[in-house]
Amino acid sequence: MQKLLVISDPHICEPGEKVIGLDPKSRFERVLDAATTAHPDATALILLGDLTHNGLAAEYEVLHSILEKKTIPVIPMLGNHDRREAFREVFTSTKTDENGFLQYAIDLPGHRVITLDTLDGPPYDDVHHSGRLCPDRMTWLARALAGSEDRMPLVFMHHPPFETGILGMDNINLTDGHAVLTLIAAKRRAHLFCGHVHRTISGSTQGVPWTIFKSSAHQGVLDLETNDSSLSVDEPGAYGVLLLRPYGVVAHSEDVGAAPAKPPERASGSG
């Protein structure tokens, strides 16, 4: 059985800068260390976008210095807080597709990992945080799905192409998500993984099962009435563990930094 680790929305800042009073760098390091220590046998680590908070080269330098200390292969992705050119300025060995987008199709024995670049731009608009898959990226996705053959497609994108009921985030999800879901739904066994919302959520839309992972930094709020995408709370960060089974995938989310837990005890009965 293979494992994949997932960390979403690190929002790395320059030294001294904080987000809602929290240090994203120290939180990311804590989550990363916990994940790689608990699962040293993981095949790879997927970073599900919003690698940095402001898309600055200096922030990518901070992230690069953290990741270069680890031996696990890292698959980086971009979100709305990222900037493609600044990322490539620092992560110079990272390859892109034929159109310059940070997208990969990686074949494992029973699964195909497909990571998408949903960053809308250039040009960039600092007040526009929705995601987009342009025609070139949609064509690339169609080819990647078709090439999965008998493997189960595991599709990763930062922006959800569906509504979660959290109005502020639904207003800045993936543009034209219906078309994307139609493509993915055609591959009957596909599973979709997203970030962006900073909450652990699961569901199914247009016949596509999906999982959203919370952030390693600050978390979102379960607010179904407010059109504010910036509402955030100081709750523990987390990482995801994907167990790749011969006929499917199991997704776990593990919080890091909560109050120390007592050792496991046996409850009476079962479960």
Side-chain angles (χ1 to χ4, degrees):
M1 178 184 65
Q2 289 186 297
K3 296 179 185 176
L4 294 174
L5 298 176
V6 182
I7 298 179
S8 189
D9 295 86
H11 284 261
I12 297 296
C13 299
E14 292 185 84
E17 184 178 354
K18 296 183 178 181
V19 178
I20 68 164
L22 306 175
D23 179 5
K25 173 180 179 290
S26 64
R27 286 216 163 189
F28 176 69
E29 289 177 312
R30 188 172 186 178
V31 169
L32 178 62
D33 288 345
T36 53
T37 298
H39 305 280
D41 56 340
T43 300
L45 165 66
I46 297 174
L47 297 181
L48 246 176
D50 278 1
L51 305 177
T52 66
H53 195 59
N54 301 295
L56 302 176
E59 295 173 327
Y60 291 111
E61 291 283 4
V62 173
L63 178 62
H64 189 276
S65 69
I66 297 170
L67 294 176
E68 68 181 356
K69 301 171 187 175
K70 299 293 182 179
T71 58
I72 184 172
V74 176
I75 304 171
M77 298 173 58
L78 300 182
N80 46 291
H81 280 263
D82 291 305
R83 293 295 177 262
R84 201 173 288 109
E85 296 74 19
F87 170 84
R88 295 184 65 183
E89 180 182 331
V90 176
F91 287 81
T92 55
S93 62
T94 303
K95 297 180 180 179
T96 61
D97 70 9
E98 64 272 21
N99 295 301
F101 297 111
L102 195 68
Q103 306 192 132
Y104 298 98
I106 301 169
D107 286 332
L108 302 175
H111 301 73
R112 167 168 271 207
V113 174
I114 299 171
T115 63
L116 297 170
D117 181 340
T118 60
L119 173 58
D120 188 2
Y124 303 109
D125 183 345
D126 288 338
V127 298
H128 174 74
H129 289 282
S130 298
R132 179 171 180 255
L133 288 180
C134 61
D136 287 338
R137 283 175 279 184
M138 288 288 285
T139 299
W140 186 94
L141 172 58
R143 290 201 311 264
L145 288 167
S148 62
E149 299 178 341
D150 293 334
R151 295 178 174 86
M152 177 184 183
L154 304 178
V155 183
F156 297 80
M157 61 177 69
H158 180 75
H159 292 82
F162 48 79
E163 294 183 346
T164 64
I166 300 175
L167 298 183
M169 299 307 297
D170 289 345
N171 289 336
I172 57 169
N173 63 7
L174 189 78
T175 302
D176 200 12
H178 173 79
V180 177
L181 288 171
T182 299
L183 269 182
I184 298 173
K187 297 296 291 188
R188 188 168 50 87
R189 298 172 57 223
H191 195 105
L192 174 61
F193 300 92
C194 303
H196 191 51
V197 188
H198 291 232
R199 290 191 64 83
T200 304
I201 316 173
S202 62
S204 177
T205 306
Q206 289 181 223
V208 178
W210 49 261
T211 302
I212 297 178
F213 290 106
K214 63 195 295 190
S215 169
S216 62
H218 52 290
Q219 307 310 330
V221 178
L222 182 58
D223 187 328
L224 307 181
E225 298 179 354
T226 305
N227 284 312
D228 187 345
S229 63
S230 64
L231 291 177
S232 303
V233 292
D234 177 4
E235 293 179 352
Y239 64 89
V241 183
L242 304 185
L243 307 181
L244 308 188
R245 302 290 189 178
Y247 301 104
V249 60
V250 178
H252 293 271
S253 179
E254 179 72 358
D255 283 357
V256 178
K262 296 180 180 179
E265 300 180 45
R266 292 191 178 276
S268 59
S270 176

